[in-house]
Amino acid sequence: MKPDRRAAGPLPIARAVLPVDTIALARTLIGKILVRELPEGVVSGRIVETEAYIVGDAAGHAYRGMTPRNRSLFLERGHAYVYLAYGISFMLNVSGDVEGVGAGVLIRALEPLTGIAIMQLNRGVGRLRDLARGPGRLAMALRINRRLDGLDLCRQGPLWLAEDDHKTGEIGESIRIGITKDAHRLLRFYLRDSPFVSGPRSLNG
């Protein structure tokens, strides 16, 4: 008998649910839940925006091969790759292929679900819409840093992916944000009509 997900609440996502194809994974993650377990409580949000960084992608961190910094991108799909962008903001990615192949999905925005007061303290802002709208804000709201790099997100722990019975709405696609290489590719995915999606309105139609 399958567990009653509605009764039990969100459950850790099974790796089999995650497509090996990185673009399909970026779409699949829309509507899933990112859970962060902190000493003061559980913080979570529904993923509303992602970007795919595929094999051979000049904008991807795996483009020039494996290094000590990016090795988590080469783990089996469903692992965390966390890096510091421009020395300022941490970014969370989900590894997106078979082990040994470097590809990933950047988690760009969340709709806050639980632990909102904790997010507000972490971010230093009160407006719900702005708590996790953008990858840097998201990481700060959930207190994500390099210590979580390489974590298996398909297992319940400090940071994990979950799913429930939520029905995802229409998914839009656009070019990615803030890159110059391979910038023409339609590899950004977002939940249409969500106020929690980042980026300019011109990309969110």
Side-chain angles (χ1 to χ4, degrees), residues 3-29:
D4 185 344
R5 291 182 177 272
R6 185 167 298 169
L11 297 176
I13 198 165
R15 203 176 315 277
V17 171
L18 304 179
V20 176
D21 179 85
T22 307
I23 297 175
L25 176 61
R27 296 183 65 95
T28 296
L29 288 174

Side-chain angles (χ1 to χ4, degrees), residues 57-192:
D57 187 346
H61 284 192
Y63 183 64
R64 298 187 184 281
M66 187 188 299
T67 68
R69 180 194 184 209
N70 71 13
R71 60 188 176 189
S72 295
L73 268 180
F74 292 80
L75 295 174
E76 184 180 16
R77 69 194 188 283
H79 286 77
Y81 167 52
V82 181
Y83 68 92
L84 186 64
Y86 308 112
I88 300 172
S89 300
F90 289 104
M91 306 284 179
L92 171 66
N93 299 257
V94 179
S95 60
D97 212 299
V98 296
E99 186 173 1
V101 176
V105 175
L106 173 65
I107 308 300
R108 283 199 56 91
L110 300 176
E111 175 186 349
L113 295 178
T114 64
I116 290 171
I118 299 173
M119 287 191 196
Q120 290 170 329
L121 285 173
N122 289 342
R123 286 273 292 110
V125 298
R127 191 182 183 198
L128 185 67
R129 179 172 179 262
D130 290 334
L131 289 181
R133 186 170 58 90
R137 292 175 175 179
L138 181 162
M140 184 180 292
L142 273 64
R143 216 179 297 159
I144 292 171
N145 53 44
R146 282 283 293 174
R147 288 192 293 272
L148 301 173
D149 182 57
L151 201 67
D152 187 350
L153 300 176
C154 297
R155 291 184 178 182
Q156 193 165 349
L159 184 69
W160 49 287
L161 290 167
E163 59 177 344
D164 58 9
D165 290 327
H166 177 78
K167 302 299 182 184
T168 303
E170 184 181 356
I171 298 174
E173 63 179 36
S174 80
I175 59 173
R176 293 170 294 185
I177 296 173
I179 63 171
T180 55
K181 297 177 180 178
D182 281 348
H184 65 287
R185 297 188 177 196
L186 300 178
L187 294 175
R188 172 178 171 264
F189 304 95
Y190 60 93
L191 182 62
R192 289 191 187 274

